[in-house]
Amino acid sequence: MVSLLTMSTSGAITYPQAQSDLCMRPIKRQPKVKCTVHIDVTEQPLKLSSFTPRTTATPPPQHNSLRLNIFQKAAAIAIDAAERALISHEKDTPLSKTADPSVQIAGNYFPVSEYPVRQFLTVEGTIPDSIDGVYVRNGANPMFDPIAGHHLFDGDGMVHAIKITNGSASYACRFTKTERLIQETRLGRPVFPKAIGELHGHSGIARLMLFYARGLCGLVNNQNGVGVANAGLVYFNNRLLAMSEDDLPYQLKITQTGDLETVGRYDFDGQLKSTMIAHPKLDPVTKELHALSYDVVRKPYLKYFRFSPDGVKSPELEIPLETPTMIHDFAITENFVVIPDQQVVFKLGEMMAGNSPVVFDGDKVSRLGIMPKDATEASEIIWVDSPETFCFHLWNAWESPETEEVVVIGSCMSPADSIFNERDESLKSVLTEIRINLRTRESTRRAMMVDDVNLEIGMVNRNRLGRKTRFAFLAIADPWPKVSGFAKVDLVTGEIEKNVYGDEKYGGEPFFLPSGSVDGGDNEDDGYIFCHVHDEEKETSELQIINAVNLKLEATIKLPTRVPYGFHGTFVDASELVDQV
């Protein structure tokens, strides 16, 4: 999610942009004060009640002898005192379930330490010969014990890598070394506000002001990104990119042994100046990467751009929105981009009233924008209303020339903001078909399933993204938010085949790996499903490889450590690793 912490990296710096929306006077950075007095300051880590910093990798340099001038030393003491007072004031205030660490990171959501490469893992069954490469999956894994509110999406990014070669498998997991994580590791405690769990009401405003005060005084560097890179992964132009929509992507490198290294924050050789959402779309035919960037504090609230196969960025197209809107995902077809403008929006003024800035706007009518991929003007977008539609994820879209429609497949959630705000109603996520008539500019919507089952997080055959697909592989999110299995859904007939893990086993995103170049037809499901599965009773984790045609379990890779439930993944073929940058 784009954070209120996100700031411009060019021109005069104002802290923060959100201040104007909160009726506060912007603070401009003053020139740095130079002083020859160096004071030895040792940052003491907080006393952690439940877990300690989780890393086995070589930490960044410990700058215990911080070169702070006397003014910075005084500022640090004052800001730390204000923070302690805030924490003390908050300790007796009950947290909602969506911000309570005891709920959000309980059980197998609890973070783990980094794990170095372990080779020759135990394999039950036989890994298919065609599988040769590295399966990587992203997730949220907070380095430090939360000191206030915490939402699952707030955790630091950690990527789990399983390398498969000649039927043998290895495992490793590493933090993505974001600028945020590096600075907090150096200080030994969290100092960057958490975008969802902490930025509620007046205490959220106070945390923002403490953060910007630290930046103003040079105690933290808030100009090189604030993101956690914990959501999506894409392999593009010989680079593995980890993403969350509050920052630029981070480039990772897969080593020959199957380990992971963070290369750094990646701006596409200086071309990307703004954030990029965690679900860019890689066109399987043109090999172009399509992306959106949204902003919560200033216009334009939304921008579209794409990259050529060799990484050259197109001009940005500003998409006019009346209010800043939460857009986690979008879709592409062969010729169009499908842009959701839905009812979950950002209203910073809500913080002044003591609420979350992420709200459901019941007065807004959801709509979908159909835009040519090569559009140069926002006037080329066809906007079509789709009332009461909120899809956190869109699985695919394609053109239907015979009916002059664009067909969109997604999971519609209700209540729409229940991921972010505690609601009395149980969350439902219904697999839905939305048809948009380009001639009449009208839409229809229908639930695709007869069964009352929550289907969330999954994918279609990535070789057919943007083209008509028959099958979708989606997680069975039951009991929410746990995943008890996955479903293979026939998008033509509505038939569903379920693969339930059983007993006390739960998983996450079912990742579909095509067995080869698929032209469609009856071979669209020719491939394998990768599922991270955790046994909550035995406290063990494994990777299951399942034949997508008949849902037969082909192999189970026993993992050497617990793998928390996470988000999205991708597979990098061995042939692609040869050219990795």
Side-chain angles (χ1 to χ4, degrees):
M1 188 183 89
V2 166
S3 168
L4 302 182
L5 313 182
T6 305
M7 288 175 277
S8 171
T9 57
S10 62
I13 303 169
T14 302
Y15 298 86
Q17 287 287 337
Q19 288 174 331
S20 58
D21 295 86
L22 299 174
C23 303
M24 297 180 187
R25 185 177 178 182
I27 305 171
K28 294 185 178 179
R29 167 174 281 184
Q30 300 299 320
K32 291 183 178 179
V33 179
K34 295 183 179 181
C35 183
T36 58
V37 178
H38 294 162
I39 299 175
D40 190 25
V41 178
T42 301
E43 291 282 354
Q44 297 295 330
L46 295 175
K47 292 181 179 180
L48 305 181
S49 59
S50 57
F51 62 90
T52 54
R54 306 187 170 274
T55 177
T56 57
T58 302
Q62 294 295 313
H63 297 292
N64 289 333
S65 182
L66 297 174
R67 293 183 177 273
L68 303 182
N69 61 49
I70 193 169
F71 302 103
Q72 290 174 310
K73 174 72 181 296
I77 293 172
I79 294 170
D80 288 348
E83 183 178 53
R84 287 192 296 270
L86 177 62
I87 293 172
S88 178
H89 174 73
E90 291 180 324
K91 67 181 181 180
D92 295 326
T93 303
L95 294 167
S96 68
K97 291 181 180 179
T98 56
D100 188 344
S102 68
V103 175
Q104 292 293 307
I105 50 176
N108 196 43
Y109 292 99
F110 196 78
V112 296
S113 300
E114 289 188 322
Y115 201 94
V117 177
R118 173 75 67 86
Q119 305 280 0
F120 307 112
L121 302 180
T122 299
V123 177
E124 295 179 354
T126 303
I127 299 175
D129 294 337
S130 61
I131 300 176
D132 185 11
V134 182
Y135 170 54
V136 284
R137 196 220 66 192
N138 211 343
N141 195 86
M143 168 75 84
F144 295 101
D145 197 358
I147 60 175
H150 180 92
H151 187 280
L152 175 62
F153 294 172
D154 289 327
D156 299 297
M158 174 175 274
V159 177
H160 302 259
I162 298 176
K163 183 179 181 181
I164 299 173
T165 304
N166 297 324
S168 180
S170 69
Y171 169 83
C173 69
R174 298 291 186 186
F175 280 106
T176 297
K177 306 301 188 297
T178 62
E179 292 288 335
R180 175 190 189 119
L181 184 64
I182 289 172
Q183 293 187 63
E184 291 189 334
T185 302
R186 182 182 298 131
L187 295 171
R189 60 195 176 97
V191 293
F192 284 68
K194 296 179 179 180
I196 307 177
E198 289 185 347
L199 298 187
H200 288 211
H202 302 130
S203 63
I205 297 173
R207 291 190 181 281
L208 280 175
M209 302 317 297
L210 288 171
F211 175 69
Y212 291 124
R214 284 191 170 107
L216 182 66
C217 297
L219 303 176
V220 296
N221 181 354
N222 48 21
Q223 295 305 297
N224 290 329
V226 298
V228 289
N230 66 13
L233 290 168
V234 66
Y235 192 79
F236 173 70
N237 192 26
N238 301 322
R239 293 170 175 86
L240 177 62
L241 303 179
M243 300 157 293
S244 58
E245 50 245 48
D246 52 1
D247 206 341
L248 274 65
Y250 274 81
Q251 181 182 347
L252 307 179
K253 185 173 184 179
I254 302 172
T255 70
Q256 290 185 345
T257 64
D259 208 347
L260 294 161
E261 298 174 351
T262 302
V263 177
R265 198 164 176 249
Y266 185 61
D267 62 4
F268 291 83
D269 297 325
Q271 300 177 92
L272 184 61
K273 306 295 184 182
S274 60
T275 62
M276 189 172 88
I277 71 167
H279 287 289
K281 303 300 178 184
L282 183 60
D283 190 303
V285 177
T286 68
K287 307 302 181 184
E288 291 181 316
L289 187 71
H290 300 262
L292 297 175
S293 172
Y294 70 86
D295 197 304
V296 305
V297 295
R298 62 179 179 270
K299 292 184 177 182
Y301 295 132
L302 184 63
K303 296 182 289 188
Y304 161 77
F305 47 88
R306 66 186 187 278
F307 297 93
S308 68
D310 56 356
V312 178
K313 182 174 173 287
S314 72
E316 294 178 347
L317 177 59
E318 297 181 2
I319 300 172
L321 300 179
E322 291 185 6
T323 57
T325 301
M326 208 287 293
I327 303 177
H328 180 69
D329 199 2
F330 71 113
I332 61 170
T333 70
E334 184 175 356
N335 296 293
F336 298 106
V337 176
V338 181
I339 304 163
D341 178 20
Q342 303 174 132
Q343 291 172 287
V344 177
V345 301
F346 298 94
K347 293 186 177 182
L348 305 186
E350 288 292 317
M351 294 179 71
M352 297 296 292
N355 303 319
S356 168
V358 185
V359 299
F360 173 76
D361 185 351
D363 294 329
K364 180 179 178 180
V365 178
S366 294
R367 59 179 186 166
L368 294 169
I370 309 300
M371 180 182 73
K373 286 179 175 178
D374 59 355
T376 58
E377 300 289 342
S379 58
E380 299 178 60
I381 304 173
I382 297 175
W383 290 105
V384 178
D385 289 348
S386 183
E388 306 300 323
T389 297
F390 177 78
C391 293
F392 198 58
H393 290 107
L394 298 176
W395 310 122
N396 200 17
W398 61 82
E399 298 156 34
S400 175
E402 62 275 13
T403 60
E404 300 181 82
E405 292 175 317
V406 169
V407 181
V408 182
I409 307 296
S411 289
C412 285
M413 282 188 173
S414 62
D417 65 338
S418 54
I419 291 179
F420 307 103
N421 299 308
E422 187 173 346
R423 300 293 294 267
D424 294 332
E425 307 97 316
S426 297
L427 185 145
K428 292 185 178 181
S429 183
V430 179
L431 185 63
T432 302
E433 178 193 77
I434 304 167
R435 304 183 76 94
I436 302 166
N437 191 298
L438 299 181
R439 179 176 53 82
T440 65
R441 303 196 177 190
E442 296 177 335
S443 71
T444 60
R445 190 183 75 185
R446 69 177 183 91
M448 302 188 71
M449 306 299 306
V450 176
D451 294 349
D452 185 16
V453 56
N454 284 339
L455 296 178
E456 240 302 323
I457 199 165
M459 63 189 303
V460 299
N461 186 326
R462 61 182 182 178
N463 287 348
R464 298 187 60 82
L465 190 70
R467 283 76 184 168
K468 186 174 183 178
T469 44
R470 179 170 181 175
F471 298 109
F473 303 93
L474 304 171
I476 301 173
D478 182 45
W480 180 269
K482 292 182 179 179
V483 171
S484 56
F486 73 85
K488 176 184 179 181
V489 182
D490 189 320
L491 301 177
V492 175
T493 65
E495 295 178 358
I496 179 173
E497 296 180 75
K498 297 180 181 179
N499 182 87
V500 179
Y501 303 130
D503 299 325
E504 292 298 313
K505 293 183 177 181
Y506 300 94
E509 175 187 65
F511 180 83
F512 176 77
L513 178 66
S515 2
S517 178
V518 180
D519 294 326
D522 295 336
N523 296 323
E524 184 188 319
D525 58 349
D526 185 10
Y528 300 94
I529 303 294
F530 286 51
C531 304
H532 272 289
V533 178
H534 179 72
D535 189 322
E536 296 194 348
E537 182 176 354
K538 297 179 180 178
E539 296 186 351
T540 57
S541 296
E542 62 192 25
L543 181 75
Q544 295 184 2
I545 301 176
I546 298 170
N547 189 306
V549 175
N550 54 27
L551 301 192
K552 173 187 174 183
L553 179 63
E554 299 281 352
T556 300
I557 301 172
K558 299 295 184 178
L559 302 178
T561 186
R562 180 175 64 85
V563 177
Y565 304 130
F567 302 138
H568 306 288
T570 193
F571 188 89
V572 185
D573 192 84
S575 62
E576 296 175 304
L577 288 174
V578 174
D579 299 319
Q580 183 183 208
V581 176

